């Protein structure tokens, strides 16, 4: 058997302040994203943080290796959030953290001609 190649090293987990700005690097599920620090470390790595919208609960994606299946609308919730946030700079407010995850609120940039940022939780609920 051929040995498997080692996975590339993961970027270090970011320590988030209570509020700040970050770029959404990935969407894990309909209520969880990966935030990337806008300022790379001197060694070139970019710290990342797992961030869950604290006042929102979306259908869970299944885990094939454990035999679970997607809950209804889980994939569409994830894809909607990805279309709204990936690659965009957001403002975050951390309400709490547990282990390697942060919980709080994300705000998108305001639409053209408006000055108030858009609360992503409220935008999801409005759909």
């Amino acid at each position: 058997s051929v040995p498997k190649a080692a996975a590339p090293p993961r970027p270090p987990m970011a320590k988030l302040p209570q509020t700040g700005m970050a770029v959404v690097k990935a969407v894990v599920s309909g209520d969880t994203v990966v935030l990337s620090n806008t300022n790379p470390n001197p060694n070139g790595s970019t710290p990342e943080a797992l961030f869950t919208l604290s006042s929102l609960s979306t259908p869970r994606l299944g885990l094939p290796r454990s035999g679970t299946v997607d809950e209804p609308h889980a994939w569409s919730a994830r894809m909607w959030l990805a279309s709204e946030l990936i690659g965009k700079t957001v403002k975050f407010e951390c309400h709490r953290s547990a282990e390697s995850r942060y919980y709080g609120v994300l705000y998108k940039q305001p639409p053209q001609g408006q000055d108030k940022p858009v609360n992503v939780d409220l935008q999801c609920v409005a759909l």
Side-chain angles (χ1 to χ4, degrees), residues 13-113:
M13 187 60 71
K15 298 246 188 259
L16 295 180
Q18 188 171 354
T19 63
M21 303 293 283
V23 175
V24 176
K25 180 177 179 182
V27 173
V28 178
S29 67
D31 60 6
T32 302
V33 300
V34 176
L35 296 180
S36 180
N37 191 332
T38 55
N39 301 315
N41 288 332
N43 66 4
S45 68
T46 305
E48 297 175 351
L50 204 56
F51 192 95
T52 297
L53 300 170
S54 62
S55 61
L56 188 66
S57 179
T58 61
R60 300 285 141 215
L61 292 166
L63 297 171
R65 66 179 173 268
S66 67
T68 60
V69 296
D70 293 349
E71 292 179 0
H73 309 292
W75 189 253
S76 58
R78 178 179 183 262
M79 295 309 294
W80 179 85
L81 195 61
S83 71
E84 290 291 312
L85 296 179
I86 286 184
K88 300 207 171 95
T89 300
V90 295
K91 177 183 176 187
F92 61 84
E93 291 179 2
C94 292
H95 296 163
R96 66 184 177 95
S97 63
E99 298 179 20
S100 60
R101 183 182 302 244
Y102 294 89
Y103 297 85
V105 180
L106 292 179
Y107 296 93
K108 295 188 330 179
Q109 297 296 322
Q112 187 74 21

